[in-house]
Amino acid sequence: GEQAIQSPLRDPFDVKISKNGLYVFINQRGNFFIDIVDQTSGLIDRFAGGGTSVSEGISATTASLPGVTDIAVDSQSNLVILPNDSRIR
C-alpha cells in the first residue's frame, strides 16, 4: 500500500468504519474495487475487486465487482459487499 493521504480517490461515495475503529473501507464509483485504510499505519490498499472473475470461493482481490451499490460492516468487522447483481459477498 501507499500513504492514504497521498492516494488519489476516484469519486468515493460510500465509506464505512470497522467496529473496532481500526479500518476504513472506501467504495469508489467507477473503480470497481473497495479500498481499505489501516488507521494505525495510514496505508491504503486494495481490499476487494479489481479482478476479472465472478466465480464463488475466490480471493476478494481477484473478484470483479462491477457496480457495487452498498457496503456494510457487520458486528465482527467483516465487510459485506452488495454488487448491483444483488449477490451478497
Side-chain angles (χ1 to χ4, degrees), residues 29-61:
R29 211 179 308 265
N31 275 347
F32 305 127
F33 56 80
I34 312 267
D35 285 328
I36 184 171
V37 177
D38 180 322
Q39 297 220 86
T40 304
S41 67
L43 296 178
I44 189 170
D45 214 341
R46 173 106 13 104
F47 183 79
T52 58
S53 179
V54 293
S55 301
E56 297 295 325
I58 59 174
S59 70
T61 55

Side-chain angles (χ1 to χ4, degrees), residues 2-73:
E2 63 181 309
Q3 287 296 314
I5 193 115
Q6 298 172 346
S7 179
L9 298 178
R10 183 175 171 195
D11 198 12
F13 73 100
D14 198 2
V15 176
K16 298 293 192 263
I17 299 174
S18 64
K19 299 299 179 189
N20 60 15
L22 295 178
Y23 303 103
V24 176
F25 300 99
I26 304 169
N27 186 7
Q28 299 179 63
R29 211 179 308 265
N31 275 347
F32 305 127
F33 56 80
I34 312 267
D35 285 328
I36 184 171
V37 177
D38 180 322
Q39 297 220 86
T40 304
S41 67
L43 296 178
I44 189 170
D45 214 341
R46 173 106 13 104
F47 183 79
T52 58
S53 179
V54 293
S55 301
E56 297 295 325
I58 59 174
S59 70
T61 55
T62 59
S64 174
L65 294 176
V68 173
T69 58
D70 199 11
I71 59 175
V73 177

